[in-house]
Each structure stands twice: as structure tokens, then as C-alpha cells.
């Protein structure tokens, strides 16, 4: 099967195995789907060996041996990434899965920080914060399995970014193993620290190409006393923007979510998600899920939501609205939004995008992207949804009803190119929150060609001269 | 070309001069104090030539020529930096002052962003935002003369960081000239953008050692409808922390400032600042300046402040409090805090620190630092003040009454070492918001020695191989 060129010689494999112990070193045939497939089935991993280190020291020893032997390694967390960044691509590569590093190391109540292992699952972090009367705002659909190390490496966005920022904004300190196996101990709890270049922000979002994040200090926030969730039904994208302006004016920093989906998305969700029902009696062209919180009281959150919706009704912006009447209903409202992506699955092939544009450009972007897609693929069903308040749109396109799925998916790149061309007209991003990985590495090289890409390459070469850290992902050297 | 001596040969100087035109190229003797002195008189600049480019293209041509001729250049904004980062140090170096690039390029009201030249003065940016009903939260004592390019290059903190973060958190996009003279055009307005390594966060805080920031996209916020400012008098540092906890619980994200000063600081301010008076009848050991805002109404801000202070009185934490009764009085309250550093001047020599520790450690830090300083310099007068909510303390030490100023200042490094040793015990930072410059470059090299410093050096070497960008500042290669 493998020739001499693309395998790691047995003696070296043995040395890697000894670092973690035999029970935590899996051959590819033992590793299986859990490690070598990924959520969208776009990539199937190939590897020499899967290592599951049990300590930061073991991670450092693995990387040191990789540096010495010039063996490429691919870090992996919860394996929920959507751009293939966490998948090894050849039997020359070793997969390093961080799942065993899953501890909450420490919670500092007074300073409101939590120090965690990279392999801690996001949901576990949420629960640990809640147990102390605080909360950690980063939240995404995969929270039950994604790990904080992956969240940071990909600078995850999600639904909490509107008020609290993306993963990078929620991290005070980073511990990482650098490509030469040395340890960067940056587990600081400081709100202000100007000692030299910000390596934390460089490692965050680098998708494991500049080192392996092994631990982090996270910012916690006081748990809100009140939370209100509502759906509003609207007739146009312009009205969604107008509602955003009203909500920002009346809820200010307490507007904690402003998500949107189109009617077709609501229909798919209702059809394919168990136990949810249409929040409003009549259909609407667009739906906004709003969340407002109050640190002070249930009543304040409720008053704020009422004020926002009243103003919007008075201005004729909102056709109808439904406020969740219980925690359970609020969770259902959220579930309808979070299941959106999965609800497209039973509808056949879906060509996906993760784009951002300036918020004010959203209506025009939606119009122009729709036109571009439909003129190329008549009958295609755009389902744009996502984080309107962040300008972040998952511009997913479901296949025409009755179309052939493989035939539709064969046009993936073509449709991507069309949508991304529209994104460029608004000076937007073709990777808002999912990262680059392998899926978008060519596009990054092409569209950032010039000083910006050359600076990234220079940094990659400087820190990882032998290109052993997640090679071919993000940056091509 | 150059001899063994330390001058730039005339032909090359002429080429630099031609880029900006003779009127904007000043010989050192013409440049004078405005460019070659700095606020604390710790450094006096020496230079071959001061260039005042009038466009981004001129900046790029200057850097390209510097790269070609291996001429060191030092970027300078408003020349308000406190660590000597903006001062050239030899007649081999050319100073590039950005003051002529002072335009507000564009304000996007819907997207709430402002695109500015690097040389725009912070106060001008404030006023431009206010004219549109918005505000830009970065604020520091030198706002009337500091420039946004310098604020970003040094990741300035200031009094707005508690609620809005430091300069890096307020910047969406960066335009910069890289050390090879190429242009990095990253003037993006996107809230989410995960396209490769975050060069913006690398350039921010790099103090001009990796390139010259020439423009930026800033985040604006809706102007608050209401703002309340108060002084509280307290008996201990522990009580200040307890008040912070109460204020955070009741004001949440609307707590926009939490500054502190000790009685001795209040006394110096009252003595040496025109037109201010003690906000309370009796003296207190500690003073906290609180600010709360409301995006909704004057009443809401007022109610929030009342609630905070009532709770604090009930808990016996606050001895007395005074709420500003007018805009004018609120400004006076702020002025007393902002003049704190200058009010030390008439008191003789002051040995200054810009440190941060985890917020919960502040009382213990203050106790231990005080002990360390007083045992070395009996009679010295510590005046610790600053941004308590950020854990950022300007631990300034005034000379003993009647002591000899030069003799006291001769112990600058010794006292710094003592205070910074205490900072290290709390895993704090010896540079919270002022940066490294030349003042702290040795200390950075010493205290970060190891993987972190080596990674910084590798980045510096990769992006600026000939060390022409602000050499000797921040990182030693």
C-alpha cells in the first residue's frame, strides 16, 4: 500500500507511541470516523498515527520529536471544524488529539477568569461558569462537542459575538507548545498588558499552524439576572436593519443576540426539527431572533424587550413578534436557529458560505448574491441566515427541488466563486468565522496575494521553518 | 557610502528630502523640542532629519528608500509616549512624523465606523464622532495632542478600557507601510473576519517596530443618553474592590469607569490644579471615581448610580459619596483624576510605574509594594492611582519631603526593580498600557527570556530583516 516515500518508519512511530503510551496511540484503522471524518464529509483524513497526549508535557515532547524528525503534525480538538483544518491528509502526518486534556484548571471568582485545558468541551466550560453564578459567552451549535482549544485556534464566532466579541476577545492568556517544542507560558489574567508583540492574538486564529494551544485563561461575566428571547417577523432585509438600529438604541450593550433567517429557512427548520413550532401565526419573509439580557432583574430585561418591540411596531417595521414565555420556549426559539444548518440536510445538497460584509450592506449583498446564484443555477434555493448584528451571513444554497445532488454539488466551487465575488464588491470576507483550513487555503493565497500574504508567510516561516505544524493549512510556504 | 562615522551622507539625505519637499524636511536644529524632547524628559532625541510626509504614498516612499539604503527610521505621532518609543537616538536615524496625515477620511453612520489617518488627534476624533451622535471610547490624559496612530502602535489603555477595552479592541482595520515599503491595506469594517493570521493585532502594540500605521478603521458607539459621575470616599483598598463588585453587579456593562486615587493624591491634585475643590467635606483614605452611563435616558443612569451607592452605603463600604450635579462638575471630577500625574510635578521627583495585576490582588499588591518602597527609601511618598477596574496601577512614588531631587531620581531603577519584583509575585505586568519603547526594552529582554522573547525576535527578524524600523525599541535582535 504505502511506498517508502509516504510512511513514517516504524522506529520513529514507536518513539512517538512511547510518549503517550500504547493505549493512547491509535493506528488509523483503530482511529476510525471519530478522528478521521469531519462534519461536512468534504474531507477524509489519512494519518500514520493518532496520539492522545494526557498532559501538556506530553504535547511538548511530541512536538519536540516532530521538530527533530521533521514529522508533520496536525492538532485536533473536538473535530467539529468546517474547513478541514483538523484533518491530517497523508500517512506522513501524525494527528494529535487534545481530548484527554479536558480539565477546568481553576476558576478565579473575584477576577472572573477560568483557566482551562485546551481539550475542555465548550459546554463543560459553560456549566462550570454557571455553577459559580457566572457565564462564558462564546456559544455555537457544536458546543456539546467542540473544544476550547479549537475554538481559539479558529477564533470561533457564534451567537454571542454581538455583545461579547469572538473567541479572541474572550481570552486573556494562552499556553501553547511552539513548533520547536518549547513552551509558551502566557496564562495571564491581566486586562492590560503591553509587554511586546501580542503572541496570543497571533496564535488565536492560526488554526494550529504556528503551535498547539494547550491551555487558556478565559474571561467570565456575571450571569445575567434576566433574559428575554423573541422572534420578530419582518417583510424585508431593510426592515431587519431598521430593527437592529432600534434594538441597539434601546437595549444598548444588553442586546446580546440578533440572528436572522428567511422564511424558507424557518420552513425547513419546522419540517425537520423535532418538537418546534412556528412562533407566529402567519408566515413572514424574514425572521429575527433577538435576545436581551439584564444583569439586574428579570423585569428589566422584559421591559427592554417590550420597549424595543413597541418602538418597532410603531415604526411599522415589525409585522408580528413572539416573546418566549418560559425558559423552555426560549431554548426552543434558540434551537430553531441553531438547527438551521442541519435542517438543510434532508433538502439535498447544500453549497455553503461563511461570509461577512459591513452590516449596512447586508440588504444589497443579499439581493446581489441571490441574483448571481439564481442566474447560474435556476431553481436553487438560497437560505441565507446567521449573525446579522455581526454582518456574518451563512449564505447556504440548497439544491433545486428534485435536482440531482452530486450534479448540484459538482458546482460547489463555481457557486462559491460567484458569491465571493459579490462579497468582494462590499469589501467583505469569504471566511467570517469558520477559518481557512484546507478548504479555503487556495482562495486565501489568491485573494490576499501581495504584502499581506507575504507577511503571513514570513511569520509562518520564521516560527515553523520546517513546516511541521499543520502543513498546507491556512498559509502555503 | 557612510564612513565609520554616524551620519547619513548628504546625497541620501537629499533623496529623503525630495520625497516630502524641503519645507517638510527639518534638520535637527530646526526641529527642536517639539520633535526631540518627550513628556518626562527622560530621553532627548538625536536625528539626521525630521520628515513630515503629507500622504500615505510619501510614507511608503520614505520606507522604501530606508529599506534600500538600510537607514533606520523612527515613526512619531503626537510625541506623547512615556517610554521613549517615539524618539530617535542617533544622527544615523531619520524621524518620520505623521502629524500632517490628520484627516478623518470617512464616517459610516450605519456601520458605526470611522476611517482615519494615523496622524488624526484623538480629541479631533472624539469631536467628529460626537458631531454624528456617536462616541469613540478611547480616552487618555494626552487626548488633546496624542494621535491615533501612536495610540494604536502603543495599544493605549486609558480610562475607557473598563467597558470598551484598549486601543486594539476599538480598531477593526489597519493600513500600514511594512518595513520593505509595501502597503498593507487592511482598512476593513468587518466585525468577523478569519482570513489568516491577524496582522492587525500584531501591528497594534508593536510601537512602530514592524511597520508604520498610516490609517485605521475605528469602532464607534452610540452616544450615551445619560452619564453620571461620582466620587466615593473609602477607608481601604479592600473596600474599593467590594465597591467594584457592587458596581459591576448593578451597572453591569454600563459601568464605564472605575478609577482610584489615594488621599495623598487627592491632596496634591487639590493643591496644584486650578479651580477644583474637594468633592467631599471630610478626608478619606481612598477615592474612587465611578462613571455609569445609559444609552436610554438620563434617568436610567441616575437611577443606576443611586442604586450602586445605596447598596454600598448599606453594606458599610462607602464612607461618603458625591455625585456630580452638572456636566461641568462631572468634567471637574474627571479633571482631578486626569491631572493626578501632573500634580505630582511640583512635589519634586517622581519615580513612575505602569503596572497591572489581577484585580483581586490589588490590595495585597498595594501593601507589599508600599512596604518594599518605604524600607528602601524611608519617607518616600507612594501615590498609587489609576484604573482599578482594569487592575492597572500607576504606582508613582514622590520623593520624601525636602529630599534632594537628583539624589532621589538616581534611585529610579532600584525602585523600579523593587516594585516590579512585587508585580511578578502576582504574575502581573511591568508595562500595562504605556508600552516598552526604549525605557523597558532591557527589562523585557531579561524577564521574557526564553520561548516568548525568541518568538518575538523571530517575528521581528522575519518582517524587518535589516532592523530599520524603530531599532532598539521593544525587541532587541
Amino acid at each position: 500500500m504505502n511506498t517508502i516515500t509516504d510512511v513514517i518508519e516504524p522506529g520513529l512511530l514507536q518513539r512517538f507511541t512511547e510518549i503517550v503510551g500504547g493505549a493512547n496511540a491509535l493506528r488509523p484503522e483503530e482511529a476510525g470516523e471519530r478522528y478521521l471524518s469531519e462534519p461536512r464529509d468534504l474531507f477524509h483524513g489519512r494519518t500514520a498515527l493518532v496520539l492522545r497526549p494526557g498532559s501538556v508535557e506530553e504535547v511538548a515532547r511530541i512536538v519536540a520529536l516532530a521538530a527533530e524528525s521533521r514529522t508533520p503534525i496536525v492538532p485536533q480538538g473536538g473535530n467539529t471544524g468546517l474547513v478541514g483544518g483538523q484533518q491530517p491528509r497523508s500517512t506522513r502526518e501524525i494527528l494529535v488529539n487534545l481530548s484527554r486534556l479536558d480539565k477546568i484548571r481553576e476558576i478565579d471568582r473575584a477576577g472572573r477568569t477560568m483557566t482551562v485545558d485546551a481539550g475542555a468541551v465548550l459546554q463543560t466550560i459553560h456549566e462550570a461558569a454557571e455553577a459559580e453564578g457566572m457565564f462564558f459567552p462564546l456559544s455555537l451549535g457544536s458546543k456539546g462537542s467542540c473544544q476550547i482549544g479549537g475554538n481559539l485556534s479558529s477564533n470561533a464566532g457564534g451567537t454571542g459575538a454581538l455583545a461579547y466579541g469572538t473567541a479572541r476577545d474572550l481570552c486573556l492568556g494562552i499556553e501553547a507548545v511552539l513548533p520547536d517544542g518549547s513552551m509558551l507560558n502566557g496564562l495571564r489574567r491581566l486586562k492590560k498588558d503591553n509587554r511586546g508583540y501580542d503572541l496570543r492574538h497571533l496564535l488565536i486564529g492560526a488554526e494550529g499552524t504556528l503551535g498547539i494551544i494547550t491551555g487558556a485563561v478565559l474571561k467570565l461575566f456575571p450571569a445575567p439576572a434576566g433574559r428575554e428571547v423573541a422572534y420578530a417577523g419582518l417583510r424585508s432585509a431593510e426592515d431587519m436593519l431598521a430593527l437592529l438600529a432600534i434594538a441597539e438604541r434601546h437595549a444598548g450593550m444588553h442586546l446580546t443576540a440578533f440572528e436572522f433567517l428567511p422564511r424558507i429557512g424557518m420552513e425547513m427548520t419546522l419540517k425537520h426539527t423535532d418538537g418546534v413550532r412556528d412562533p407566529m401565526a402567519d408566515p413572514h419573509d424574514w425572521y429575527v431572533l433577538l435576545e436581551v439580557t439584564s444583569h439586574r432583574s428579570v423585569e428589566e430585561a422584559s421591559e427592554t424587550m417590550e420597549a424595543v418591540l413597541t418602538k418597532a411596531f410603531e415604526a411599522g417595521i415589525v409585522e408580528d413578534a413572539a416573546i418566549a414565555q418560559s425558559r423552555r420556549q426560549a431554548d426552543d426559539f434558540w434551537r430553531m436557529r441553531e438547527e438551521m444548518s442541519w435542517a438543510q440536510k434532508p433538502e439535498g445538497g447544500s453549497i455553503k458560505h461563511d461570509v461577512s460584509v459591513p452590516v449596512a450592506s447586508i440588504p444589497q449583498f443579499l439581493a446581489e448574491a441571490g441574483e448571481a446564484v439564481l442566474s447560474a443555477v435556476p431553481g436553487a434555493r438560497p437560505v441565507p441566515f446567521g449573525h446579522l448584528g455581526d454582518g456574518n451571513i451563512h449564505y447556504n444554497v440548497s439544491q433545486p427541488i428534485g435536482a440531482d445532488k452530486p450534479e448540484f454539488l459538482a458546482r460547489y466551487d463555481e457557486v462559491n466563486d460567484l458569491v465571493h465575488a459579490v462579497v468582494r464588491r462590499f469589501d467583505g470576507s469569504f471566511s467570517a468565522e469558520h477559518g481557512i483550513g484546507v478548504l479555503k487555503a487556495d482562495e486565501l493565497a489568491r485573494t490576499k496575494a501581495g504584502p499581506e500574504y507575504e507577511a503571513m508567510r514570513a511569520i509562518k516561516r520564521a516560527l515553523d521553518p520546517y513546516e511541521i505544524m499543520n502543513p498546507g493549512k491556512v498559509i502555503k510556504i
Side-chain angles (χ1 to χ4, degrees), chain A:
Chain A
M1 146 200 151
N2 291 317
T3 69
I4 192 78
T5 53
D6 61 352
V7 293
I8 301 177
E9 56 107 357
L12 184 55
L13 282 183
Q14 185 55 31
R15 289 175 69 195
F16 276 112
T17 299
E18 279 162 10
I19 294 170
V20 297
N24 290 302
L26 310 176
R27 304 302 302 244
E29 56 276 16
E30 303 167 305
E33 293 302 297
R34 174 169 170 196
Y35 300 102
L36 298 175
S37 70
E38 52 79 49
R40 287 186 180 162
D41 279 335
L42 293 175
F43 307 99
H44 195 83
R46 298 174 64 214
T47 190
L49 193 63
V50 177
L51 298 178
R52 294 163 38 90
S55 68
V56 174
E57 292 65 34
E58 287 182 9
V59 177
R61 288 172 59 202
I62 291 167
V63 178
L65 180 54
E68 176 200 320
S69 60
R70 312 280 193 265
T71 308
I73 52 179
V74 177
Q76 182 182 80
N79 194 17
T80 60
L82 298 172
V83 291
Q86 75 280 20
Q87 281 300 326
R89 297 185 297 159
S90 89
T91 52
R92 279 279 302 145
E93 298 182 356
I94 286 181
L95 182 65
V96 180
N97 182 286
L98 279 288
S99 299
R100 288 178 66 215
L101 297 181
D102 62 351
K103 300 286 177 301
I104 307 291
R105 296 189 197 171
E106 192 183 348
I107 296 180
D108 172 357
R109 290 197 64 177
R112 285 213 305 270
T113 64
M114 185 190 290
T115 308
V116 296
D117 280 353
V121 170
L122 184 54
Q123 179 80 47
T124 308
I125 291 170
H126 286 181
E127 286 161 9
E130 275 163 31
E132 300 284 341
M134 295 183 282
F135 92 111
F136 181 62
L138 184 70
S139 188
L140 35 157
S142 59
K143 62 191 172 208
S145 49
C146 64
Q147 297 170 9
I148 192 67
N151 296 149
L152 291 167
S153 292
S154 61
N155 185 28
T159 52
L162 181 65
Y164 297 96
T166 63
R168 74 169 68 255
D169 301 308
L170 298 168
C171 176
L172 289 172
I174 282 285
E175 175 193 81
V177 177
L178 298 178
D180 61 359
S182 65
M183 286 293 311
L184 177 79
N185 184 352
L187 288 180
R188 293 185 275 268
R189 304 175 184 190
L190 306 172
K191 296 186 180 182
K192 289 182 177 173
D193 183 15
N194 276 350
R195 285 176 294 171
Y197 305 152
D198 202 320
L199 301 178
R200 169 188 50 144
H201 278 305
L202 192 60
L203 285 162
I204 295 175
E207 303 182 32
T209 62
L210 299 177
I212 302 182
I213 294 174
T214 55
V217 178
L218 307 175
K219 290 187 204 172
L220 301 179
F221 294 80
R227 182 175 74 117
E228 289 281 326
V229 180
Y231 267 108
L234 309 94
R235 71 178 69 79
S236 71
E238 286 78 8
D239 283 350
M240 292 198 290
L241 273 196
L243 178 59
L244 176 63
I246 289 174
E248 286 179 331
R249 195 154 64 245
H250 289 271
M253 292 185 280
H254 292 134
L255 177 67
T256 46
F258 199 94
E259 303 281 310
F260 82 109
L261 60 168
R263 179 63 199 172
I264 185 177
M266 181 60 84
E267 282 166 4
M268 289 177 178
T269 301
L270 293 170
K271 193 168 161 194
H272 304 298
T273 311
D274 281 345
V276 295
R277 57 194 191 84
D278 199 324
M280 284 164 281
D282 297 314
H284 304 277
D285 284 351
W286 295 98
Y287 294 83
V288 165
L289 183 156
L290 302 95
E291 184 184 89
V292 302
T293 53
S294 166
H295 47 272
R296 212 147 39 167
S297 66
V298 174
E299 293 71 31
E300 189 183 63
S302 172
E303 283 163 25
T304 305
M305 182 65 90
E306 293 279 355
V308 169
L309 293 176
T310 302
K311 288 282 170 190
F313 274 116
E314 284 171 8
I317 285 164
V318 159
E319 294 181 320
D320 196 5
I323 302 177
Q325 297 302 310
S326 64
R327 167 96 195 222
R328 164 102 190 256
Q329 199 179 11
D331 290 347
D332 280 348
F333 277 17
W334 265 114
R335 201 152 57 89
M336 292 167 74
R337 162 60 191 86
E338 284 174 346
E339 295 291 324
M340 179 65 263
S341 189
W342 303 110
Q344 279 188 275
K345 271 213 165 164
E347 298 285 333
S350 171
I351 296 176
K352 295 176 190 296
H353 306 82
D354 164 40
V355 307
S356 63
V357 294
V359 174
S361 305
I362 289 177
Q364 211 182 332
F365 165 78
L366 290 174
E368 294 184 23
E371 207 173 302
V373 167
L374 288 176
S375 70
V377 191
R381 294 171 295 163
V383 190
F385 69 96
H387 320 292
L388 192 129
D390 304 319
N392 179 191
I393 300 159
H394 298 302
Y395 198 89
N396 292 358
V397 183
S398 279
Q399 67 178 52
I401 292 172
D404 180 68
K405 182 174 169 180
E407 203 172 286
F408 176 71
L409 290 179
R411 303 184 69 177
Y412 212 108
D413 291 349
E414 178 197 347
V415 174
N416 279 181
D417 286 349
L418 288 169
V419 172
H420 293 173
V422 179
V423 167
R424 270 198 301 282
R425 291 210 287 272
F426 296 98
D427 213 358
S429 170
F430 64 83
S431 176
E433 60 174 7
H434 295 165
I436 298 298
V438 60
L439 182 66
K440 299 180 179 177
D442 285 335
E443 188 160 358
L444 187 76
R446 198 169 64 240
T447 56
K448 291 263 187 191
E452 191 165 356
Y453 198 78
E454 291 313 311
M456 291 184 198
R457 287 177 77 184
I459 292 165
K460 169 73 175 171
R461 276 193 226 107
L463 296 182
D464 182 20
Y466 307 117
E467 211 195 358
I468 60 162
M469 293 303 307
N470 217 0
K473 313 294 168 59
V474 187
I475 297 295
K476 294 161 182 287
I477 65 175

